[in-house]
Structures are given as C-alpha cells and as structure tokens.
C-alpha cells in the first residue's frame, strides 16, 4: 500500500505536548519570559511523530468505540499476548511465557515503578551517558543515586566502555542498570556480542537491568534488534519494556508491555501495582501488532530517506557539524560544538534555537551527562517541514 508521510497535519488546539507543552518540559520552572509564544515554531523535539497514526490502528479504535461502553478494562485471555509474542518472535526471534507479561501506563511510568520495587533509598543505579533524561528522573523520584558511565564516542559511533562499567559496578555498589536498547539519544543498535558482554558484568555482580526497548521497531533497513533478555537468556534479572507508542505514534494512549522473568519481582509487581487499562489503548496496540507491519516498513523507509537528506544537508551546509546516521530511532544526534563555540552561546541550546531559529530542538541539557555541544533533532516529520527547519537551524549558526 501507499502511505502519505508528506501530509502536514494541524496539531494545534489538541493539547499536544509537542505544540503546547514545550516550555514546561524543556525549561521547567526557569524564566522563559524572553520566549514569545509563536504558532509558527517548527517542532523537531519531543519523541512523537508528525505522521498520522495508521488507519489500521484508528479503525481498531473506532471499532472499539462502536461497542458503546468504555468501562473498567483489563486484558483477559490470551488474544493480546498471542498478537504481541507473534510480533516479537517474527521480528526478533524472542518469546516469553504469558505469565511474565504485565502492563504499565507508559514505559517511563513503568520504569519509575520498577525502580521503587528493586531499589531501597540511597541505592545506586548505573546509567550509560548521554542518556534519555527520564532514566535519571526515575532515580531521583525514588531517592536512588545515579552513577554515570560515559559511552565512548568514536566519530559519532558510540560504544560501551566495559572497563568503566565493570569498575563502577564493582566499586559503587550498583543495584540496577537502566539501559536503552536501542540507545537514546545516539541511536545505536547494540549487537548480540555487546549485550552479552554487558550482561556478563551485570550477572557477575547480581545487578538488575531494566532494558527500555521502546525504539526497537524504528530502525534502518540493514539493522536487526536483539532483545537484551534474548542475548542473556539465563539471567532472570533482566526486565524488558516494549511499546508501540513510538513506532505507531500512539504515545498518548499510555500503554506499555513489561516482561518480568524474575518470580519474586513479578509477585511484587502484581501485589503493589494498581490500575486498569484503557480499552482504546489495548485495541490500538493489538491492531498495530496484528495489522501494522506494512505501514511500519513504509514509515521506516521514509525515515531512511529523511536521514539521508539530513546527512547531505549537514555535509554541504554545516560542514563542521559531526553526525552519523543512527542505526535506530527517528532521532538525529548531532554535534554542533564548533558552531556553538563560535557563537559563544551563553544560554541553553534549546532556548537559543527557539529564539534565534524559530525551531524547537533539544540540547545537551536534556541528556544528563556526556552530551556537551550536542542536539537531538526529531526528523519523523514531513520532508518539506524538515527542510525548512534545517535551513532555519543553519541560519541561526552561520
């Protein structure tokens, strides 16, 4: 089928975080009185897409609405599990028993809850940096200290510093590692060997792992995702979190899968977790697993072309930028250190681009540590909008 990823969709007046929530998300309580409200801002920041949610998903929501009652809902029987595990088996060669599957209202909410079950106050958690900001937030909300292990940046290709990881795990009394697979923000797809090496360190030291695999279906054509739990199958302290919220643009439905093989932790979750599920979320996600693969492949192909355009643009127009097309995600991790230093920017990078380019992108401030001079640009947008945004970024830098 043919899908129109060039469609420009009006998202104003829908209470979209992408449009209306950027000030609070990016700047918190900081003074932003110098940022004027502007409906013309080009939004290339928060990790949802400006592509329409696919019709197979919308049709499933419409069909569920036609049932006329949206009462308290949970997942009963095996139909949803069978759709999900069929997807993971076909795409990743990964299966798990149904009894290990539980649900949360979004992966971040699930991680926060898991940290509270795994760690006591004043325990420590390891985060590989640069890092998706909510990993540290999950630690902060549970009074858990975050310890950073910087990834090694080899000209834009990031690798794990196993020596540093082992040293910190063995000397810092690490209880938990919160890990992104694929990595956010760098876009690395970790190989089976990389996961095995990391898993060996964790297993040797009895460290829990939460593997955030939300971006696993958004990858370049030549890449294969390996679930952490598949790479290290004999270690039951690896928790896997997956969702179709990114891949099918349904993040607002707040529904995620959590796979917990450890019986003791699973029992704790079932005793302490409270909540029913949104009936529309279940219908939408199951439809994505059952009917969405054709749309997903087309969307990934469109992203491949967007990334190729971005790489050529930077090479020709901002030649001092450092960028490598990521192996996964729709997020470009770009080193703009040369231009930032030339401009002597003395405010947050995100604020600078809003004020001087009219573009919302995320700067180093959002990525915890080991992110100096970098920005994260969301290119899951129509190509013409992306081109306009990139030109505005260039004009603000040169």
């Amino acid at each position: 089928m043919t899908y129109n990823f060039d469609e420009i969709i009006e998202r104003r007046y829908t209470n979209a975080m992408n449009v209306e929530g950027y000030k609070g998300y990016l700047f918190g309580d900081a003074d932003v009185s110098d940022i004027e409200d502007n409906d013309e801002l080009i939004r290339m920041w928060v990790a949802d897409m400006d592509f329409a949610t696919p019709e197979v998903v919308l049709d499933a929501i419409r069909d569920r609405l036609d049932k006329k009652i949206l009462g308290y809902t949970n997942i009963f029987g095996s139909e949803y599990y069978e759709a999900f595990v069929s997807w993971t088996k076909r795409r990743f060669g990964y299966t798990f028993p149904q009894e290990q599957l539980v649900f949360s209202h979004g992966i971040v909410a699930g991680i926060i809850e898991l940290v509270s079950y795994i760690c006591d106050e004043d325990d420590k958690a390891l985060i590989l940096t640069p890092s998706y900001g909510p990993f540290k937030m999950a630690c902060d909300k549970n009074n858990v200290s975050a310890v950073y292990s910087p990834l090694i940046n080899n000209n834009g290709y990031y690798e794990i510093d196993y020596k540093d990881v082992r040293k910190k795990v063995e000397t810092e009394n690490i209880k938990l590692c919160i890990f992104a697979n694929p990595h956010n923000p760098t876009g690395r797809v970790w190989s089976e060997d990389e996961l095995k090496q990391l898993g060996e360190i964790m297993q040797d030291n009895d460290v829990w792992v939460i593997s955030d695999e939300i971006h696993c279906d958004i990858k370049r054509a030549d890449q294969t995702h390996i679930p952490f739990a598949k790479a290290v199958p004999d270690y039951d302290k690896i928790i896997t979190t997956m969702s179709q919220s990114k891949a099918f643009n349904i993040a607002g439905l707040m529904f995620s899968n959590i796979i917990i093989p450890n019986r003791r932790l699973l029992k704790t979750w079932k005793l302490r977790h409270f909540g029913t599920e949104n009936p529309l979320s279940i219908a939408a996600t199951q439809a994505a697993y059952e009917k969405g693969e054709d749309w997903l492949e087309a969307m990934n192909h469109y992203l491949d072309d967007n990334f190729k355009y971005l790489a050529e643009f930077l090479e020709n127009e901002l030649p001092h930028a450092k960028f490598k097309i990521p192996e996964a995600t729709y997020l470009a991790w770009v080193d703009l250190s040369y231009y930032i230093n030339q401009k002597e920017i003395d405010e947050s990078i995100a604020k600078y681009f809003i004020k001087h380019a009219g573009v919302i992108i995320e700067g180093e401030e959002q990525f915890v540590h080991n992110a100096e001079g970098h920005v994260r640009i969301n290119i899951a947008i129509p190509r013409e909008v992306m081109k306009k945004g990139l030109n505005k970024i260039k004009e603000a830098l040169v």
Side-chain angles (χ1 to χ4, degrees), residues 298-315:
M299 189 275 295
N300 275 325
H301 180 73
Y302 189 91
L303 289 178
D304 288 347
D305 289 342
N306 269 8
F307 274 118
K308 289 175 186 176
Y309 181 92
L310 172 61
E312 292 173 1
F313 178 91
L314 292 174
E315 181 179 0

Side-chain angles (χ1 to χ4, degrees), residues 6 42 44 302 305-306 309-310 312-313 317 359 377-379 381-395:
D6 292 312
I42 294 177
M44 306 173 76
Y302 189 91
D305 289 342
N306 269 8
Y309 181 92
L310 172 61
E312 292 173 1
F313 178 91
E317 305 296 336
V359 177
I377 304 174
N378 179 350
I379 66 159
I381 57 178
R383 193 159 301 132
E384 290 307 309
V385 177
M386 182 185 72
K387 291 178 181 179
K388 185 177 179 181
L390 293 176
N391 278 300
K392 285 180 170 288
I393 290 170
K394 182 190 80 169
E395 291 167 5

